[in-house]
């Protein structure tokens, strides 16, 4: 016995759209931080985008995001390990790596300060093979657990 099922073209198109979007949703990078507070003009440049977008408190932070602050502006990010990063005014920072596994068996967080300044409160790293790195055009600092 053969049963015939009829679906409308709308249902078929919706199903195809869902199937097309699912792989992107499954393989997108997980959020690795959250915006705790913004003051003034704070924008984000997501990887693979061609413009800056306003970012607000509660927004998630992803690896490879760039964050830019304007005059008299700042943003504070909370990271999963309890550490926090405050990006000051007139600053651009790329969240180059956030809690990425490294070759030594630990995790690595690396922020590239393209311009400006930031403050940090990094919790003591439990795994001695983990690294928390801030990079600038002239220096690189590896933090083991402190504020600065």
């Amino acid at each position: 016995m053969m049963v015939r099922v009829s679906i409308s073209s709308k249902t078929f198109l919706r199903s195809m759209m869902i199937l097309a979007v699912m792989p992107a949703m499954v393989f997108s990078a997980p959020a690795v931080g959250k915006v705790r507070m913004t003051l003034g003009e704070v924008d984000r440049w997501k990887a693979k985008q061609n413009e800056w977008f306003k970012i607000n408190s509660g927004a998630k932070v992803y690896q490879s995001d760039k964050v830019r602050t304007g005059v008299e502006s700042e943003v504070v990010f909370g990271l999963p390990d309890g550490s926090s990063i405050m990006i000051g005014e007139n600053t651009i920072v790329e969240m180059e790596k956030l809690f990425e596994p490294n070759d030594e068996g630990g995790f690595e967080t690396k922020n590239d300060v393209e311009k400006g300044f930031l403050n940090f409160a990094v919790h003591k790293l439990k795994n001695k093979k983990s690294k928390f790195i801030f990079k600038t055009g002239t220096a690189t600092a590896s933090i083991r657990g402190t504020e600065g």
Side-chain angles (χ1 to χ4, degrees), residues 129-143:
K129 296 177 182 179
S130 293
K131 298 176 184 175
F132 209 107
I133 300 169
F134 294 99
K135 183 173 96 175
T136 70
T138 57
T140 300
S142 184
I143 311 302

Side-chain angles (χ1 to χ4, degrees), residues 21-29:
V21 171
M22 284 298 285
M25 290 170 52
V26 170
F27 295 109
S28 63

Side-chain angles (χ1 to χ4, degrees), residues 70-89:
V71 175
E72 297 182 2
S73 301
E74 64 182 46
V75 60
V76 177
F77 294 105
L79 302 177
D81 71 344
S83 298
S84 64
I85 299 171
M86 188 281 294
I87 299 174
E89 71 174 332

Side-chain angles (χ1 to χ4, degrees), residues 23 36-37 39 42-44 58 66 101 132 137 144:
R36 287 187 188 160
M37 185 272 310
L39 174 67
V42 181
D43 301 314
R44 170 175 46 195
K66 281 189 180 186
F132 209 107
R144 299 295 304 156

